[in-house]
Amino acid sequence: MQNYKKLSDLPDIKGQTLLMRADLNVPVREGEVTDFTRITRLKPTIDDLMARGANILILSHFGRPKGQENMELSLAFLAPVLSHSWGHEVGFKEQTTRITLLENTRFQAGEEANDMALAKEWANMGDIYVNDAFSVSHRAHASTEAIAHCLPTYAGHLMDQELRALNTALETPQKPVTALVGGAKISTKLDLLGNLINKVDYLVLGGGMANTFVCAQGYDVGKSLCEHDMLDTARSIMARAKDGNCTLVLPTDFVVGQYFKANTPHDTVHIKNVPSDTMALDIGAESIAHIKTIIDHSKTVVWNGPMGAFELEPFDHATVELARYVAHKTSSGELISVAGGGDTVAALAHAGIKDQLTYLSNAGGAFLEWLEGKELPGVKALTAYEASLPTFLAS
Ligand code: AMP
């Protein structure tokens, strides 16, 4: 893991101004924040910096204004919400309080262009840069990448927690490691599958993407979601897994239904016997039981994507059952579990075990790119300032 600086490495910052990149791109409906997770997860960093007597300027994007001022996407409404959630007064734009939320970074065209002139403008406003936005670290933007070249840079608590969790799961894991990968399609997860094959002992596939693999094995999957143009790709993934000593685990039975609808007439069938007028909407009981034995053998589980069409009852069964199993094994100390990306948070929340995993990442795209083995520019930049110093100055 990269040797970045953390908040515990900060010098005396009393009276100094810290520019903090946060991800306050929170879900909002009719002007009200509908999920506070991103806000509450920033509180440890805010509390820590406040206790040390620093002033904080917060940089965040919100929505996609594409470099234009768009008052519908102004962050002004969020200052009182943050004050309330964090228990510290937060001002907006003008620095009248110790914590100030700046306007949506994406109002500036230079933000998404990773423009150094814009980064310097922001950097001139403070003494130190703190990045606590892992969830945007897959973007090389002025407030996540360029700015880290201009000021001494530290990872906030959330960034550090996320990086340590991901590192524990894939870089220096306790073995055997199992990846559970589900979701709709393989076409969107090719890089992810390619990377996991090299890193994990068991790669368990479920959800719609497993249909394509089952079809590639020569079985008829009826009306199931299946990427027929990906059959060769699926076969080559199977061959690479074999060569790389990764055991690829495919379902042996499906719960099939007539329509993509909740409570559509359904049945559990072996993968050899999918009726041509039905579709696989979940993996079956035999597959679930087999996956549980693999989890029993594992010390680490990484999870991305639901095992079935979890939004439609009863096709949420495998996802819920396995999520509860992983949560139970995690609580009893037998397993390290890390999950995230796309619909995974919603699926695990639906199973009621969101808080029972070792780490659940809300990072979405950044979590997926990390699973793909890509270098995240915002993470790489955590050491950019130090690296640019002459060696006798870098400590
Ligand atoms: P992803 O965003 O790729 O993780 O895919 C999540 C979506 O995959 C969810 O909306 C699920 O309903 C869908 N999905 C999972 N399994 C199936 C399946 N067997 N058939 C159709 N859709 C599925």
Coordinates of all heavy atoms in Angstrom, one line a residue, residues 182-185 188-189 206-209 211 225 260 280-282 304-311 341-344, ligand 1:
G182 N -22.0 -10.6 -8.8 CA -23.3 -10.8 -9.4 C -23.6 -9.6 -10.3 O -22.7 -8.9 -10.7
G183 N -24.9 -9.3 -10.4 CA -25.3 -8.2 -11.3 C -25.7 -8.7 -12.6 O -25.8 -9.9 -12.9
A184 N -26.1 -7.7 -13.4 CA -26.8 -8.0 -14.7 C -25.9 -8.6 -15.7 O -26.2 -9.7 -16.3 CB -27.4 -6.7 -15.2
K185 N -24.8 -8.0 -16.0 CA -24.0 -8.3 -17.3 C -22.6 -8.5 -17.0 O -22.0 -7.9 -16.2 CB -24.2 -7.2 -18.3 CG -25.6 -7.0 -18.7 CD -25.7 -5.8 -19.7 CE -27.0 -5.7 -20.3 NZ -27.1 -4.6 -21.3
T188 N -20.1 -5.3 -18.6 CA -19.7 -4.1 -17.8 C -18.7 -4.5 -16.7 O -18.1 -3.6 -16.0 CB -20.9 -3.5 -17.0 OG1 -21.5 -4.6 -16.3 CG2 -21.9 -2.9 -18.0
K189 N -18.4 -5.8 -16.6 CA -17.5 -6.2 -15.5 C -16.3 -7.1 -16.0 O -15.7 -7.8 -15.2 CB -18.3 -7.0 -14.4 CG -19.3 -6.1 -13.7 CD -19.9 -6.6 -12.5 CE -20.9 -5.6 -11.9 NZ -21.7 -6.2 -10.9
G206 N -22.9 -15.1 -9.8 CA -24.4 -15.3 -9.7 C -25.0 -14.1 -10.5 O -24.4 -13.5 -11.3
G207 N -26.3 -14.0 -10.3 CA -27.0 -12.9 -11.0 C -27.1 -13.2 -12.5 O -26.8 -14.3 -13.0
G208 N -27.6 -12.1 -13.2 CA -27.7 -12.3 -14.7 C -26.5 -12.7 -15.4 O -26.5 -13.5 -16.3
M209 N -25.3 -12.2 -14.9 CA -24.1 -12.5 -15.6 C -23.8 -14.0 -15.6 O -23.1 -14.5 -16.5 CB -22.9 -11.7 -15.0 CG -22.5 -12.2 -13.6 SD -20.7 -11.7 -13.4 CE -20.9 -9.9 -13.5
N211 N -25.8 -16.3 -16.1 CA -26.6 -17.0 -17.2 C -25.7 -17.1 -18.4 O -25.8 -18.1 -19.2 CB -27.8 -16.1 -17.6 CG -28.7 -15.9 -16.4 OD1 -28.6 -16.6 -15.4 ND2 -29.6 -14.9 -16.5
L225 N -31.9 -13.3 -19.2 CA -30.9 -12.3 -19.6 C -29.6 -13.0 -19.9 O -29.1 -13.7 -19.1 CB -30.7 -11.3 -18.4 CG -29.7 -10.2 -18.6 CD1 -30.0 -9.2 -19.7 CD2 -29.5 -9.4 -17.3
F260 N -40.2 -10.9 -15.9 CA -39.3 -10.1 -15.0 C -40.3 -9.3 -14.2 O -40.4 -8.1 -14.3 CB -38.4 -9.2 -15.9 CG -37.3 -8.6 -15.1 CD1 -36.2 -9.3 -14.7 CD2 -37.4 -7.3 -14.7 CE1 -35.2 -8.7 -13.9 CE2 -36.4 -6.7 -13.9 CZ -35.3 -7.4 -13.5
A280 N -34.1 -17.2 -15.9 CA -33.5 -17.4 -14.6 C -33.5 -16.1 -13.9 O -32.9 -15.1 -14.4 CB -32.1 -17.9 -14.8
L281 N -34.1 -16.0 -12.7 CA -34.1 -14.7 -12.0 C -33.4 -14.7 -10.7 O -33.2 -13.7 -10.0 CB -35.6 -14.3 -11.7 CG -36.3 -13.9 -13.0 CD1 -37.8 -13.8 -12.8 CD2 -35.8 -12.6 -13.6
D282 N -33.0 -16.0 -10.3 CA -32.2 -16.1 -9.1 C -31.4 -17.4 -9.1 O -31.8 -18.3 -10.0 CB -33.1 -16.1 -7.8 CG -32.4 -15.7 -6.5 OD1 -31.2 -15.4 -6.6 OD2 -33.0 -15.8 -5.5
N304 N -19.4 -8.0 -4.9 CA -20.0 -6.9 -5.7 C -21.1 -7.5 -6.6 O -20.9 -8.5 -7.3 CB -18.9 -6.3 -6.7 CG -19.6 -5.4 -7.7 OD1 -19.7 -5.8 -8.9 ND2 -20.0 -4.3 -7.3
G305 N -22.3 -6.9 -6.5 CA -23.4 -7.3 -7.3 C -24.3 -8.3 -6.7 O -23.9 -9.3 -6.1
P306 N -25.7 -8.1 -6.9 CA -26.6 -9.1 -6.4 C -26.6 -10.4 -7.1 O -26.3 -10.5 -8.3 CB -28.0 -8.4 -6.6 CG -27.7 -7.4 -7.7 CD -26.3 -7.0 -7.7
M307 N -27.0 -11.5 -6.4 CA -27.0 -12.8 -6.9 C -28.2 -13.1 -7.8 O -28.3 -14.2 -8.4 CB -27.0 -13.9 -5.8 CG -25.7 -13.8 -5.0 SD -24.3 -14.5 -6.0 CE -23.2 -13.1 -6.1
G308 N -29.2 -12.2 -7.7 CA -30.4 -12.4 -8.5 C -31.1 -11.0 -8.7 O -30.6 -10.0 -8.3
A309 N -32.3 -11.1 -9.2 CA -33.1 -9.8 -9.4 C -33.7 -9.5 -8.1 O -34.9 -9.7 -7.8 CB -34.1 -10.1 -10.5
F310 N -32.8 -8.9 -7.2 CA -33.2 -8.8 -5.8 C -34.3 -7.8 -5.5 O -34.9 -7.7 -4.5 CB -31.9 -8.4 -4.9 CG -31.6 -6.9 -5.1 CD1 -31.9 -6.0 -4.1 CD2 -30.9 -6.5 -6.2 CE1 -31.6 -4.6 -4.3 CE2 -30.6 -5.1 -6.4 CZ -30.9 -4.2 -5.4
E311 N -34.6 -6.9 -6.5 CA -35.7 -5.9 -6.3 C -37.1 -6.6 -6.4 O -38.1 -6.0 -6.0 CB -35.7 -4.9 -7.4 CG -34.4 -4.1 -7.5 CD -33.4 -4.7 -8.6 OE1 -33.5 -5.9 -8.8 OE2 -32.6 -3.9 -9.1
G341 N -20.0 -1.1 -4.5 CA -20.1 -0.9 -5.9 C -21.6 -1.1 -6.4 O -22.2 -2.0 -6.1
G342 N -22.0 -0.1 -7.2 CA -23.3 -0.2 -7.9 C -24.4 -0.5 -7.0 O -24.6 0.2 -6.0
D343 N -25.2 -1.6 -7.3 CA -26.4 -1.9 -6.6 C -26.1 -2.7 -5.3 O -27.1 -3.0 -4.6 CB -27.3 -2.8 -7.4 CG -28.3 -1.9 -8.3 OD1 -28.4 -0.7 -7.9 OD2 -28.9 -2.5 -9.2
T344 N -24.9 -2.9 -5.0 CA -24.5 -3.8 -3.9 C -25.0 -3.3 -2.6 O -25.5 -4.0 -1.7 CB -23.0 -4.1 -3.9 OG1 -22.6 -4.4 -5.2 CG2 -22.7 -5.2 -3.0
Ligands
AMP1 P1 -25.2 -4.4 -11.6 O1 -25.6 -3.0 -11.6 O2 -24.5 -4.9 -12.8 O3 -24.6 -4.9 -10.3 O4 -26.6 -5.2 -11.8 C1 -27.6 -5.1 -10.8 C2 -28.9 -5.5 -11.5 O5 -28.8 -6.9 -11.9 C3 -30.1 -5.5 -10.5 O6 -31.0 -4.5 -10.9 C4 -30.7 -6.9 -10.7 O7 -32.1 -6.9 -10.8 C5 -30.1 -7.4 -12.0 N1 -30.1 -8.9 -12.0 C6 -29.5 -9.7 -11.2 N2 -29.7 -10.9 -11.5 C7 -30.5 -10.9 -12.6 C8 -31.1 -12.0 -13.4 N3 -30.9 -13.3 -13.1 N4 -31.9 -11.6 -14.4 C9 -32.0 -10.3 -14.7 N5 -31.5 -9.3 -14.0 C10 -30.8 -9.6 -12.9

